[in-house]
Amino acid sequence: MLSKLKQAIIDGDEEAAKSFSEKISSEGMDPLEAINGAVIPAARAAGEKFEKGEFFVPNLLLSTDAMKAAINIFTAGMSEKSKEELGKEGTVVIATVEGDIHDIGKNIVALLLEVNGFQVHDLGRDVNSMDIVNRALDVKADIIALSSLMTTSMPSQQDVIDMLKAMKVRDRFLVMIGGGSVTEDWAEEIGADGYTETAEEAVRLAQALMKKGGTG
Ligand code: B12
């Protein structure tokens, strides 16, 4: 069933994706197992097809819709369960940085953080750096998580950190960065507190950062 869901997402068949997701949910599979087993691999496969020239933008948009529909079905069951846990682990402000509209990976990171007990303020995509800083100050975030999929938008991750420094509030926040174009070296160069390649590792990083130096 997971492979059928994966294929439906790659094909951009939203109705089939919904029906397989509902079936998987009703059979009682752990939603995270379903997301990791079908949705994330489908996102990767669609991305690879795009890079090889087998897929065009309309294909990707259909895949994205099918992906979002599946994630909505899996998270419907999770939200009730996680409500009482919400915020226990810490507060995160997450965004795709200015100049970048890619949000599939960021949405997965936000979702996994939330189901793992973080209170997540998802500001969306192409978000102005100052807006990110202001919201982090407003909600007294512990962590600022910044996603960037393009080399052209990576400097916006640096902007956020530079603004925190200029406002003399850098030490109030833990900053983690990620997204397709980001590397460990970049994280070091701009003075981020951490980087991971996958959403699952992002949760472990957030937990580790909170243990090391939660800002309260
Ligand atoms: C889907 C896609 C699109 C979709 C986006 C739909 C959406 N709502 O997101 C559409 C078609 C709209 C699109 C548009 C464009 N795209 Co595009 N797109 C992709 C594609 C194929 C897949 C990206 C994706 O979703 N991957 C799947 C997710 C799950 O992976 P992910 O984002 O990397 O996230 C994972 C990790 O990185 C991590 N993670 C993500 N965020 C964070 C944050 C933190 C804090 C942490 C710790 C971890 C973390 O966890 C996630 C899950 O494991 C990539 C190619 C690729 N293979 O990556 C190109 C790609 C990113 N796009 C690219 C480009 C150039 C564009 C356009 C400029 C194209 C154009 N000429 O118009 C526009 C962008 C306009 C803009 N201003 O942003 C280039 C970027 C090149 C570069 N390196 O700079 C790529 C690499 C394609 C290529 N090879 O040329 N794109």
Side-chain angles (χ1 to χ4, degrees):
M1 191 60 71
L2 283 181
S3 61
K4 284 186 178 158
L5 172 59
K6 179 181 165 193
Q7 195 56 48
I9 293 174
I10 295 171
D11 295 341
D13 186 342
E14 188 174 336
E15 286 315 308
K18 274 185 187 160
S19 108
F20 290 132
S21 304
E22 269 154 12
K23 200 139 199 277
I24 290 168
S25 275
S26 69
E27 281 168 3
M29 182 185 277
D30 175 8
L32 280 185
E33 203 180 321
I35 290 171
N36 285 327
V39 181
I40 294 182
R44 290 217 182 96
E48 279 162 20
K49 280 181 179 292
F50 183 67
E51 290 191 319
K52 284 194 212 142
E54 293 168 20
F55 257 26
F56 299 101
V57 170
N59 302 102
L60 273 184
L61 294 177
L62 288 173
S63 282
T64 305
D65 287 345
M67 224 176 282
K68 285 182 176 162
I71 286 180
N72 282 342
I73 290 168
F74 294 126
T75 50
M78 281 195 286
S79 50
E80 278 307 307
K81 204 171 65 183
S82 60
K83 256 179 205 151
E84 57 209 53
E85 300 279 295
L86 210 64
K88 214 182 74 190
E89 295 280 335
T91 300
V92 180
V93 162
I94 189 167
T96 299
V97 294
E98 188 157 14
D100 197 328
I101 62 161
H102 296 89
D103 65 354
I104 299 171
K106 182 267 295 167
N107 292 345
I108 295 174
V109 174
L111 172 72
L112 293 195
L113 286 171
E114 197 164 309
V115 300
N116 279 284
F118 286 88
Q119 174 141 46
V120 178
H121 298 266
D122 184 348
L123 310 191
R125 56 191 187 173
D126 189 11
V127 185
N128 173 268
S129 304
M130 196 66 227
D131 290 348
I132 297 174
V133 171
N134 281 336
R135 182 66 86 86
L137 287 166
D138 271 1
V139 302
K140 297 190 170 53
D142 300 293
I143 296 177
I144 299 176
L146 304 170
S147 183
S148 159
L149 270 277
M150 299 193 299
T151 43
T152 48
S153 63
M154 282 163 64
S156 300
Q157 293 180 321
Q158 185 167 22
D159 275 355
V160 173
I161 293 180
D162 288 348
M163 272 179 197
L164 293 173
K165 285 183 188 157
M167 292 165 78
K168 305 210 181 327
V169 293
R170 174 65 185 93
D171 57 356
R172 283 200 215 166
F173 305 101
L174 299 157
V175 180
M176 50 192 250
I177 63 170
S181 58
V182 174
T183 61
E184 189 85 59
D185 285 349
W186 176 244
E188 249 174 57
E189 190 181 326
I190 66 172
D193 296 296
Y195 150 80
T196 71
E197 203 179 325
T198 69
E200 288 209 309
E201 289 162 358
V203 174
R204 285 197 288 276
L205 172 65
Q207 287 163 339
L209 288 175
M210 289 301 295
K211 268 205 194 105
K212 230 169 64 183
T215 53

